[in-house]
Amino acid sequence: MAESPATLGASSTWKNTYKTMSETSLKSEIQKYLARLSAPLAVPVPKTKPVNVNPSSYGVTPQALQAVKGGLARPAAKTASTSAVAAGPPPMATADFATKKTFFEKVSRNHVVLSGHGSWPHPWPKVKLKPQQKLYCYIAHYYPLGNDVGQLIDSRRFPVAVDEYPGGTEVCDYTLHHKDDLKLMNHSVGDAQFITVSSNTPISNFINDSKYATATFHFAACRVVFNARGDLWCPVDNAWEPYVQGGTRPCVLR
């Protein structure tokens, strides 16, 4: 290919300037020079600081902007459905829930709440728990149980027990009385393990019942002690005090 006049003119100029260079070297330099001339010019970048624009000036709150940024950053959540109409838990979650529900019901059935008024009357009988039974009491012997504590037990939010009796232990055969005007707090309709009575019933009736052979009994009642005359023992004064409905209350009940 013949060289253009422009190329030859530039070559002559370069020869006069760089006489010590060979023709081949000069042509190489000329090609580089022409390449630089034909290259696109770089656009200068202004050295100015970016303007800090407040989103609120455009009617956008920082919270809304953050929510949008978070939504863009997170991938869309995958949902699993067991129904063509409404989303639901995946099969494994349903199975886990069913297992936990069955376990809870089994454990709950073993916890029997005895709720109402309570006492240990003369002649102060005792009964032995079966090997797999337990008895929890929530007030010290001789004392009445506060209704607020009783309501916690009723609703199965068991507080820390004062006395715990393991299987095989001989315990006081307390009497469970009718609740009278006590406000009980069990709201489970048909809860067979929440027991109240309509007449005086010793707890041995339940301890010796085979269907409660593995039960944990929670005594949500008083543990006051009566003698044969109906006097109430006061552990504060270490004395028997008369107990008359509507009369002066014994010290232990004040």
Side-chain angles (χ1 to χ4, degrees):
M1 179 180 294
E3 294 181 344
S4 66
T7 302
L8 292 174
S11 179
S12 298
T13 303
W14 279 78
K15 282 183 180 179
N16 293 331
T17 307
Y18 301 99
K19 293 181 179 180
T20 59
M21 297 178 67
S22 65
E23 186 175 350
T24 302
S25 298
L26 285 172
K27 286 184 177 181
S28 175
E29 291 296 326
I30 290 170
Q31 294 296 330
K32 293 178 182 178
Y33 174 72
L34 293 175
R36 287 197 297 271
L37 290 177
S38 62
L41 295 175
V43 179
V45 178
K47 296 181 179 180
T48 57
K49 294 183 179 180
V51 179
N52 186 13
V53 180
N54 191 338
S56 60
S57 62
Y58 293 91
V60 180
T61 64
Q63 293 83 357
L65 181 62
Q66 187 61 39
V68 172
K69 290 168 63 179
L72 293 175
R74 291 191 299 269
K78 295 182 179 179
T79 58
S81 175
T82 56
S83 169
V85 178
M92 192 60 207
T94 303
D96 288 346
F97 176 77
T99 300
K100 292 176 182 178
K101 183 173 183 291
T102 302
F103 175 77
F104 174 79
E105 289 177 346
K106 179 181 179 182
V107 172
S108 182
R109 281 196 297 270
N110 287 337
H111 287 261
V112 178
V113 176
L114 305 174
S115 186
H117 287 291
S119 70
W120 192 37
H122 187 270
W124 310 307
K126 293 195 173 185
V127 61
K128 192 173 184 180
L129 293 172
K130 300 297 183 280
Q132 296 184 60
Q133 291 177 336
K134 294 178 183 178
L135 173 64
Y136 288 85
C137 296
Y138 296 90
I139 191 66
H141 191 62
Y142 302 117
Y143 287 89
L145 181 72
N147 197 41
D148 53 342
V149 178
Q151 290 177 346
L152 287 175
I153 304 167
D154 291 346
S155 57
R156 298 185 182 277
R157 291 180 292 162
F158 303 120
V160 177
V162 173
D163 290 314
E164 303 177 13
Y165 301 99
T169 305
E170 187 177 63
V171 299
C172 297
D173 190 6
Y174 295 104
T175 293
L176 188 65
H177 306 279
H178 184 261
K179 70 180 185 69
D180 290 333
D181 56 352
L182 287 177
K183 184 178 180 181
L184 308 184
M185 291 296 289
N186 185 278
H187 302 296
S188 301
V189 178
D191 184 352
Q193 308 310 101
F194 178 74
I195 297 175
T196 60
V197 296
S198 57
S199 59
N200 299 342
T201 306
I203 65 172
S204 55
N205 284 21
F206 309 108
I207 292 172
N208 293 326
D209 191 329
S210 59
K211 70 180 179 182
Y212 300 123
T214 60
T216 295
F217 295 103
H218 299 268
F219 194 57
C222 300
R223 301 173 71 187
V224 295
V225 179
F226 287 96
N227 63 14
R229 297 189 304 273
D231 299 329
L232 191 65
W233 178 256
C234 179
V236 178
D237 298 333
N238 289 321
W240 294 103
E241 295 188 349
Y243 177 68
V244 180
Q245 287 281 4
T248 303
R249 303 184 70 183
C251 69
V252 74
L253 297 182
R254 293 173 191 166

